[in-house]
């Protein structure tokens, strides 16, 4: 029997979530909720979605047994859920394809999105190109400088990329601008939000589209080892790959769940993105959740080597799972993530995204406390090609510093 | 004080047949010590009430002019607490009603009940919160109601009639009719549908209806005020204050209410 039924009718996960948006957006948010409910129950929508997931994105993704990594750590059997093998190289497209199909169902022709590193922007531009939707992506000027190639990718895919100079000119400000654009164009535009954040029903929709990750993992784990894994580890910025992985396991209490936040230069410094470890509840971007903020309620900048985790909020459902204790949320520093990035490349021939490297790094710690008859799944949310240049520069800088 | 003061003041002005004019100013832009000075100046220009904006790091309902003013105010060290302290200084001598416009997160961090009490102590008469739709208002509405502070609701052009009716029925002091489908900031002109929307709201609203967003000159202000009870002007006033052009603020208000 299903006992976990969040969100409730008002879009709350316990006390978190909700719809803290201007009245102007409420009709669109309510329309989206209705359209999603209808689509969810419509077999033809599910069939169409599954067809794209299989034929276009390349699912099912493997649950790969990382023998070398397991041997190296000497603990449990370690599996990698290979979301990096999806078309466009990350889990993001599981959500964008679903929301783009919803956009068509609502009779809208235009899509707006925000992006940090560019992964969600590329995944959105890709499905818009596929389905003939007009696409506009807001991206902070600072991020545009750091991720020039992804900007070109999006443009190649036919999207219009608009730089955001407001505030810190990073992801948080790109979300603000995307929301403002939506406020100004809500009659013909859908907002494809990139994570399990924003006003209800976005956190729920994104979770549902991403839960293909956890559903496949459960089934594959049973096929491969006749049982569920003992632990599951995923990285958390906004938290969409983690939520998609965790949700199907929420009621399987014997499976320990770990959402790994980015500790940046350390959670005791001002430069981190560990919202649950170092933040407090408040309202941002339409939802009530843990945030990095000062005493007066002004939102602070997040910082992480990984642009995809560089967000001062977190999905409201994670806040709920944190407060109820169902999921544990440790954090990993830039340095630890960089080590794991190199370790996985050397041992398994897989270069993980810097985001996913946070999950790998924590799994390495966790493995030390586990035994050989146990198993651990790491959600490898994306591939690291996009990060290679940045890592090269960082490692050179570090070795010069030491010399 | 509070809700009754705001209602009475607006009624008295309405009875003269003149349109209501509420200017918006960003608290702390130009310095925290400018808050009372600017309030007094706007009152002297003929404002019906003052909408005092509290800066927020992520103001999603605002266009570039108010965003920038908010960032300047934050750099000046402006906080909700400091603004309330400043406003309290002139509580006894001030006649004009004061309305705070703030996003919900600074109030949440302040504490809803404490906020309402401190507003009452400072002589704040009404509150506007742009990111609280009726679905999320219960707790803050109760706290404001306990202190008899007017909770001014916002209506949008995208709201269906049923919602508009509910919003108008709940609004206290006046109804804030957002008169563009978008964020704050100057617009060359309003859509034709704005007029129908204002007429509709005026018919169903038990409280005065004021149009706001996108209004930047006396002609625009007068043409919209013809279909409702008055106007709110934000970005233009903020811009003129930042430029030090108080003469044009005086003309803008004076021309509109003439």
């Amino acid at each position: 029997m299903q006992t976990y039924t969040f969100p409730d009718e008002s879009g709350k996960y316990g006390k978190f979530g909700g719809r803290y948006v201007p009245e102007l957006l409420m009709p669109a948010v309510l329309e989206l909720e209705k359209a999603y409910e209808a689509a969810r129950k419509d077999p033809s929508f599910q069939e169409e979605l599954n067809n794209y997931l299989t034929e276009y994105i390349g699912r099912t993704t493997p649950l790969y047994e990382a023998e070398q990594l397991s041997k190296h750590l000497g603990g449990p059997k370690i599996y990698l859920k290979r979301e990096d093998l999806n078309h466009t190289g990350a889990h993001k497209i599981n959500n964008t394809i679903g929301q783009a199909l919803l956009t068509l169902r609502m009779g809208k022709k235009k899509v707006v999105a925000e992006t940090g590193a560019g992964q969600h922007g590329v995944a959105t531009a890709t499905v818009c190109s596929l389905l003939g939707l007009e696409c506009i992506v807001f991206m902070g000027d600072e991020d545009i400088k750091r991720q020039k190639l992804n900007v070109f990718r999006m443009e190649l895919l036919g999207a219009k990329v608009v730089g955001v100079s407001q505030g810190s000119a990073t992801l948080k400000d790109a979300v603000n601008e995307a929301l403002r654009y939506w406020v100004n164009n809500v009659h013909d535009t859908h907002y494809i939000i990139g994570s399990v954040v924003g006003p209800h029903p976005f956190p729920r929709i994104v979770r549902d589209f991403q839960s293909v990750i956890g559903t496949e993992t459960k089934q594959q784990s049973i096929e491969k080892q006749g049982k569920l894994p003992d632990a599951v580890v995923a990285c958390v910025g906004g938290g969409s790959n983690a939520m998609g992985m965790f949700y199907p396991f929420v009621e399987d209490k014997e499976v320990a769940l770990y959402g790994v936040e980015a500790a940046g230069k350390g959670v005791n410094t001002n430069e981190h993105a560990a919202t649950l470890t170092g933040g407090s509840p408040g309202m941002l971007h339409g939802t009530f959740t843990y945030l990095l903020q000062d005493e007066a309620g002004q939102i602070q900048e997040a910082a992480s080597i990984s642009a995809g985790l560089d967000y001062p909020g977190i999905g409201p459902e994670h806040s709920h799972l944190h407060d109820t204790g169902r999921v544990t949320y440790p954090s990993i520093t830039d340095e630890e993530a960089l080590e794991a990035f190199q370790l996985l490349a050397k041992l398994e021939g897989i270069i993980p995204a810097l985001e996913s490297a946070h999950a790998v790094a924590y799994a390495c710690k966790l493995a030390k406390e586990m035994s050989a008859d146990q198993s651990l799944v790491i959600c490898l949310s994306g591939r690291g090609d996009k990060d290679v240049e940045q890592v090269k520069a960082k490692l050179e800088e570090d070795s010069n510093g030491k010399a | 004080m509070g809700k009754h003061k705001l209602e009475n003041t607006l009624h008295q002005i309405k009875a003269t047949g003149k349109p209501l004019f509420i200017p918006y100013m960003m608290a702390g832009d130009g310095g925290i010590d400018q808050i009372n000075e600017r309030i007094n100046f706007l009152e002297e220009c003929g404002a019906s009430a003052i909408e005092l904006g509290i800066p927020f790091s992520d103001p999603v309902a605002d266009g570039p002019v108010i965003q920038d003013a908010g960032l300047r105010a934050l750099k000046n060290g402006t906080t909700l607490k400091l603004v309330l302290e400043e406003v309290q200084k002139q509580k006894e001598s001030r006649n004009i009603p004061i309305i705070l416009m703030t996003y919900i997160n600074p109030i949440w961090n302040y504490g809803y009940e404490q906020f309402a009490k401190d507003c009452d102590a400072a002589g704040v008469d009404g509150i506007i919160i742009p990111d609280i739709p009726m679905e999320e208002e219960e707790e803050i509405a109760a706290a404001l109601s306990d202190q008899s502070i007017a909770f001014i609701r916002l209506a949008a052009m995208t709201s269906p009639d049923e919602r508009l009716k509910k919003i108008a029925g709940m609004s206290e002091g006046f109804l804030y009719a957002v008169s563009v489908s978008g964020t704050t900031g100057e617009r060359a002109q309003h859509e034709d549908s704005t007029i129908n929307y204002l007429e509709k709201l005026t018919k169903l609203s038990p409280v005065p209806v004021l149009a706001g967003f996108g209004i930047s000159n006396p002609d625009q202000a007068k043409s919209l005020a013809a279909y409702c009870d008055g106007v709110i002007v934000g970005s233009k006033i903020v811009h003129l204050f930042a430029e030090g052009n108080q003469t044009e603020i005086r003309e803008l208000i004076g021309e509109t209410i003439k």
Side-chain angles (χ1 to χ4, degrees):
Chain A
M1 195 188 78
Q2 198 189 353
T3 54
Y4 184 89
T5 54
F6 296 107
D8 66 18
E9 271 177 24
S10 56
K12 296 268 162 71
Y13 304 84
K15 64 180 176 181
F16 298 103
R19 293 173 280 221
Y20 296 88
V21 291
E23 172 62 18
L24 217 142
L25 287 181
M26 273 311 290
V29 161
L30 294 171
E31 178 200 6
L32 177 62
E33 189 177 351
K34 224 168 127 187
Y36 177 65
E37 275 308 312
R40 209 164 62 87
K41 292 172 188 150
D42 178 354
S44 72
F45 179 82
Q46 293 302 333
E47 195 183 319
E48 196 181 7
L49 176 62
N50 286 334
N51 191 49
Y52 281 115
L53 290 175
T54 313
E55 302 296 327
Y56 187 70
I57 295 171
R59 304 203 71 93
T60 308
T61 61
L63 185 67
Y64 163 75
E65 186 184 343
E67 284 185 43
Q68 298 307 315
L69 182 64
S70 305
K71 208 163 101 188
H72 176 78
L73 295 171
K77 199 175 265 188
I78 296 175
Y79 291 96
L80 305 177
K81 179 59 175 166
R82 298 290 307 276
E83 290 302 300
D84 60 318
L85 294 179
N86 284 325
H87 180 41
T88 70
H91 70 290
K92 291 288 184 190
I93 199 163
N94 300 331
N95 166 46
T96 60
I97 186 70
Q99 286 208 48
L101 291 172
L102 268 183
T103 307
L104 291 176
R105 255 183 103 95
M106 290 186 291
K108 291 184 173 180
K109 296 273 180 336
K110 283 162 69 183
V111 156
V112 61
E114 83 294 338
T115 198
Q119 293 307 101
H120 174 61
V122 169
T124 305
T126 299
V127 297
C128 286
S129 154
L130 174 71
L131 298 174
L133 292 162
E134 203 178 308
C135 178
I136 178 163
V137 179
F138 287 93
M139 186 169 182
D141 281 346
E142 279 307 308
D143 290 331
I144 286 180
K145 267 190 234 158
R146 291 190 283 205
Q147 297 284 345
K148 285 198 187 89
L149 267 182
N150 267 343
V151 174
F152 180 65
R153 262 184 206 116
M154 287 183 266
E155 286 168 352
L156 204 58
L157 291 160
K160 186 177 165 202
V161 180
V162 181
V164 176
S165 59
Q166 283 93 333
S168 57
T170 58
L171 178 58
K172 166 178 89 82
D173 310 285
V175 175
N176 288 339
E177 273 308 284
L179 275 168
R180 287 185 190 113
Y181 183 88
W182 198 33
V183 167
N184 282 296
N185 297 276
V186 68
H187 60 285
D188 65 352
T189 303
H190 175 60
Y191 180 16
I192 298 191
I193 207 161
S195 192
V196 286
V197 299
H200 177 67
F202 282 110
R204 191 252 168 103
I205 291 178
V206 179
R207 175 196 77 190
D208 288 359
F209 285 139
Q210 291 293 0
S211 30
V212 65
I213 303 173
T215 305
E216 285 178 8
T217 301
K218 258 179 111 160
Q219 202 181 336
Q220 289 167 317
S221 177
I222 288 168
E223 279 164 17
K224 282 179 193 284
Q225 52 173 357
K227 58 171 189 173
L228 295 179
D230 297 282
V232 174
V233 181
C235 66
V236 183
S240 69
N241 88 84
M243 211 51 245
M245 177 58 105
F246 295 165
Y247 181 59
F249 286 102
V250 162
E251 296 197 338
D252 301 306
K253 297 284 156 66
E254 69 275 23
V255 181
L257 304 174
Y258 298 90
V260 185
E261 294 196 305
K265 295 191 173 154
V267 286
N268 298 322
T269 70
N270 286 329
E271 294 179 61
H272 68 83
T275 315
L276 291 172
T277 310
S280 59
M283 292 87 167
L284 176 68
H285 297 150
T287 193
F288 180 61
T289 191
Y290 278 85
L291 303 171
L292 299 179
Q293 58 184 337
D294 69 12
E295 283 168 7
Q298 305 296 340
I299 309 304
Q300 305 298 292
E301 297 307 329
S304 164
I305 189 166
S306 142
L309 303 181
D310 201 349
Y311 182 68
I314 186 168
E317 193 164 13
H318 285 295
S319 293
H320 174 66
L321 294 170
H322 169 265
D323 278 15
T324 59
R326 175 62 188 98
V327 180
T328 307
Y329 292 90
S331 60
I332 283 293
T333 63
D334 288 351
E335 206 173 315
E336 292 169 320
L338 270 172
E339 272 173 38
F341 181 90
Q342 298 169 80
L343 182 72
L344 199 68
K346 278 181 190 143
L347 289 178
E348 297 289 349
I350 296 170
I351 301 175
L354 275 174
E355 291 79 10
S356 322
H358 286 72
V360 176
Y362 185 72
C364 291
K365 287 188 183 178
L366 187 63
K368 297 204 173 99
E369 299 159 16
M370 293 172 70
S371 59
D373 60 342
Q374 291 184 302
S375 66
L376 184 163
V377 172
I378 302 170
C379 187
L380 204 77
S381 55
R383 68 175 184 225
D385 306 47
K386 68 180 175 64
D387 300 316
V388 167
E389 203 182 327
Q390 189 194 352
V391 171
K392 178 170 180 276
K394 180 81 175 95
L395 293 177
E396 283 170 0
E397 182 191 309
D398 289 357
S399 73
N400 287 342
K402 275 174 202 154
Chain B
M1 297 302 280
K3 188 175 130 180
H4 298 294
K5 176 175 171 183
L6 179 62
E7 281 172 358
N8 290 341
T9 307
L10 298 187
H11 265 286
Q12 280 165 18
I13 300 170
K14 240 186 100 171
T16 66
K18 285 182 181 173
L20 300 167
F21 191 111
I22 302 184
Y24 169 102
M25 57 175 270
M26 175 60 77
D29 186 21
I32 295 168
D33 57 349
Q34 287 291 303
I35 293 175
N36 284 319
E37 223 166 282
R38 288 184 178 181
I39 289 174
N40 297 342
F41 169 74
L42 291 169
E43 179 175 15
E44 186 200 306
C45 292
S48 316
I50 307 289
E51 187 184 345
L52 192 56
I54 303 298
F56 180 51
S57 53
D58 297 83
V60 294
D62 284 306
V65 171
I66 292 181
Q67 285 174 43
D68 290 347
L71 288 179
R72 289 195 298 267
L74 288 175
K75 272 200 188 128
N76 288 336
T78 309
T79 61
L80 180 50
K81 195 163 189 301
L82 285 175
V83 174
L84 287 172
E85 283 169 15
E86 206 56 27
V87 170
Q88 186 158 10
K89 288 181 188 166
Q90 289 200 341
K91 182 187 180 185
E92 302 308 326
S93 59
R94 185 176 51 234
N95 289 316
I96 193 161
I98 300 289
I99 299 155
L100 289 194
M101 195 306 303
T102 171
Y103 289 83
I104 189 67
N105 199 46
I107 313 180
W108 160 258
N109 278 272
Y110 201 101
Y112 291 164
E113 281 177 26
Q114 194 61 47
F115 170 72
K117 279 181 192 155
D118 289 359
C119 279
D120 178 55
V124 168
D125 306 290
I127 305 289
I128 299 168
I129 311 171
D131 53 349
I132 286 283
M134 62 169 117
E135 283 80 358
E136 304 292 350
E137 68 163 49
E138 197 178 329
E139 284 176 54
I140 183 66
L144 295 173
S145 167
D146 283 350
Q147 302 295 331
S148 297
I149 292 166
F151 185 14
I152 296 142
R153 270 74 161 189
L154 295 111
M157 290 174 71
T158 50
S159 317
D161 288 3
E162 272 310 297
R163 265 183 94 84
L164 288 178
K165 204 183 278 179
K166 270 194 208 163
I167 293 168
M170 293 189 302
S171 199
E172 298 167 340
F174 65 90
L175 176 64
Y176 194 133
V178 175
S179 54
V180 299
S181 277
T183 45
T184 60
E186 298 171 29
R187 303 287 199 284
Q189 58 186 44
H190 285 79
E191 295 164 41
D192 293 341
S193 55
T194 308
I195 288 169
N196 295 335
Y197 158 79
L198 291 177
E199 281 181 326
K200 183 164 68 185
L201 284 179
T202 307
K203 242 178 246 165
L204 55 81
S205 175
V207 288
V209 175
L210 276 86
F213 282 38
I215 303 168
S216 60
N217 64 59
D219 287 345
Q220 255 181 341
K222 276 190 278 193
S223 71
L224 290 184
Y227 301 96
C228 58
D229 300 301
V231 292
I232 299 162
V233 178
S235 294
K236 185 71 183 181
I237 303 264
V238 168
H239 176 74
L240 291 172
F241 267 131
E243 268 191 338
N245 191 346
Q246 308 213 344
T247 314
E248 202 178 325
I249 296 178
R250 195 184 292 278
E251 284 166 10
L252 172 60
I253 301 177
E255 281 293 310
T256 306
I257 61 172
K258 198 162 63 181

Coordinates of all heavy atoms in Angstrom, one line a residue, chain B residues 32-37 39-40 81-94 118 121-124:
Chain B
I32 N 19.1 55.7 3.8 CA 18.0 55.4 4.7 C 17.4 56.7 5.3 O 16.2 56.9 5.5 CB 18.4 54.4 5.8 CG1 18.7 53.1 5.2 CG2 17.3 54.2 6.9 CD1 19.5 52.1 6.1
D33 N 18.3 57.7 5.4 CA 17.9 59.0 6.0 C 17.0 59.8 5.0 O 16.4 60.8 5.4 CB 19.1 59.8 6.4 CG 20.1 60.1 5.2 OD1 19.9 59.4 4.2 OD2 21.0 60.9 5.4
Q34 N 16.9 59.3 3.8 CA 16.0 60.0 2.8 C 14.6 59.5 2.9 O 13.7 60.1 2.3 CB 16.5 59.7 1.4 CG 17.8 60.4 1.0 CD 17.5 61.9 0.9 OE1 16.7 62.3 0.1 NE2 18.2 62.7 1.7
I35 N 14.3 58.4 3.6 CA 13.0 57.8 3.6 C 11.9 58.9 4.0 O 11.0 59.1 3.2 CB 12.9 56.6 4.5 CG1 13.8 55.5 3.9 CG2 11.5 56.1 4.6 CD1 13.9 54.2 4.7
N36 N 12.1 59.4 5.2 CA 11.0 60.4 5.7 C 11.0 61.7 4.8 O 9.9 62.2 4.6 CB 11.3 60.7 7.1 CG 10.8 59.5 8.0 OD1 9.8 58.9 7.8 ND2 11.6 59.2 9.0
E37 N 12.2 62.1 4.4 CA 12.2 63.3 3.6 C 11.4 63.1 2.3 O 10.6 64.0 1.9 CB 13.7 63.6 3.2 CG 14.0 65.0 3.3 CD 15.6 65.2 3.3 OE1 16.2 64.9 4.4 OE2 16.1 65.6 2.3
I39 N 9.0 60.8 1.7 CA 7.6 60.7 2.1 C 7.0 62.0 2.2 O 5.9 62.3 1.6 CB 7.4 59.9 3.4 CG1 7.8 58.4 3.2 CG2 6.0 60.0 3.9 CD1 7.8 57.5 4.4
N40 N 7.6 62.9 2.9 CA 7.1 64.3 3.1 C 7.0 65.0 1.8 O 6.0 65.7 1.6 CB 7.9 65.1 4.1 CG 8.0 64.4 5.5 OD1 7.1 63.6 5.8 ND2 8.9 64.8 6.3
K81 N 13.7 46.0 9.1 CA 13.7 46.5 10.5 C 14.1 48.0 10.5 O 13.4 48.8 11.2 CB 14.7 45.7 11.3 CG 14.6 45.8 12.8 CD 15.3 44.7 13.5 CE 15.1 44.6 14.9 NZ 15.5 45.8 15.6
L82 N 15.1 48.3 9.8 CA 15.6 49.7 9.7 C 14.5 50.6 9.1 O 14.3 51.7 9.6 CB 16.9 49.8 8.9 CG 18.2 49.3 9.6 CD1 19.3 49.4 8.7 CD2 18.4 50.2 10.9
V83 N 13.8 50.1 8.1 CA 12.8 50.9 7.5 C 11.7 51.2 8.5 O 11.2 52.3 8.6 CB 12.2 50.3 6.2 CG1 11.1 51.0 5.6 CG2 13.3 50.1 5.1
L84 N 11.3 50.2 9.2 CA 10.2 50.3 10.2 C 10.6 51.3 11.2 O 9.8 52.2 11.6 CB 9.8 49.0 10.8 CG 9.0 48.1 9.9 CD1 8.8 46.7 10.5 CD2 7.6 48.7 9.5
E85 N 11.8 51.3 11.7 CA 12.3 52.2 12.7 C 12.3 53.6 12.2 O 11.9 54.6 12.9 CB 13.8 51.8 13.1 CG 13.8 50.7 14.1 CD 15.3 50.1 14.2 OE1 16.2 50.9 13.9 OE2 15.4 49.0 14.7
E86 N 12.7 53.8 10.9 CA 12.7 55.1 10.3 C 11.3 55.7 10.2 O 11.0 56.8 10.5 CB 13.4 55.0 8.9 CG 14.0 56.2 8.4 CD 15.1 56.8 9.3 OE1 15.7 56.1 10.1 OE2 15.3 58.0 9.2
V87 N 10.4 54.8 9.7 CA 9.0 55.3 9.5 C 8.3 55.6 10.9 O 7.5 56.6 11.0 CB 8.2 54.1 8.8 CG1 6.7 54.4 8.8 CG2 8.7 54.0 7.4
Q88 N 8.7 54.9 11.9 CA 8.1 55.1 13.2 C 8.5 56.5 13.8 O 7.7 57.1 14.5 CB 8.7 54.1 14.2 CG 8.0 54.2 15.6 CD 8.1 52.8 16.4 OE1 8.8 51.9 15.9 NE2 7.4 52.7 17.5
K89 N 9.6 57.1 13.3 CA 10.1 58.4 13.8 C 9.0 59.5 13.6 O 9.0 60.4 14.3 CB 11.4 58.8 13.2 CG 12.6 58.0 13.7 CD 13.9 58.4 13.1 CE 15.0 57.5 13.4 NZ 16.2 57.7 12.5
Q90 N 8.3 59.4 12.5 CA 7.3 60.4 12.1 C 5.9 60.0 12.4 O 5.0 60.6 11.8 CB 7.5 60.8 10.7 CG 8.8 61.6 10.4 CD 8.7 62.4 9.1 OE1 7.9 62.1 8.3 NE2 9.6 63.4 9.0
K91 N 5.7 58.9 13.1 CA 4.4 58.4 13.2 C 3.4 59.4 13.7 O 2.3 59.6 13.1 CB 4.4 57.2 14.2 CG 3.1 56.5 14.4 CD 3.1 55.5 15.5 CE 1.8 54.8 15.6 NZ 1.7 53.9 16.8
E92 N 3.7 60.2 14.7 CA 2.8 61.1 15.3 C 2.5 62.3 14.5 O 1.3 62.8 14.4 CB 3.3 61.6 16.7 CG 3.6 60.5 17.7 CD 2.4 59.5 17.9 OE1 1.2 59.9 17.8 OE2 2.7 58.3 18.1
S93 N 3.5 62.8 13.7 CA 3.3 64.0 13.0 C 2.7 63.7 11.6 O 2.3 64.7 10.9 CB 4.6 64.7 12.9 OG 5.6 63.9 12.2
R94 N 2.7 62.5 11.1 CA 2.4 62.2 9.7 C 0.9 62.0 9.5 O 0.3 61.3 10.3 CB 3.2 61.0 9.3 CG 3.1 60.6 7.8 CD 3.9 59.4 7.5 NE 3.7 58.3 8.4 CZ 4.6 57.7 9.0 NH1 5.9 58.0 8.9 NH2 4.3 56.7 9.9
D118 N 5.1 45.3 14.7 CA 6.0 46.4 14.5 C 5.5 47.4 13.4 O 5.7 48.6 13.5 CB 7.4 45.9 14.1 CG 8.1 45.2 15.3 OD1 7.5 45.2 16.4 OD2 9.2 44.7 15.1
A121 N 3.1 49.5 15.3 CA 3.9 50.5 16.2 C 4.5 51.6 15.3 O 4.6 52.7 15.8 CB 5.0 49.7 16.9
A122 N 4.9 51.3 14.1 CA 5.5 52.3 13.2 C 4.5 53.2 12.5 O 4.8 54.1 11.8 CB 6.4 51.6 12.2
G123 N 3.2 52.8 12.6 CA 2.2 53.6 11.9 C 2.1 53.2 10.4 O 1.7 54.0 9.6
V124 N 2.4 52.0 10.1 CA 2.1 51.5 8.7 C 0.7 51.1 8.6 O 0.1 50.4 9.5 CB 3.1 50.3 8.4 CG1 2.7 49.6 7.1 CG2 4.5 50.8 8.4

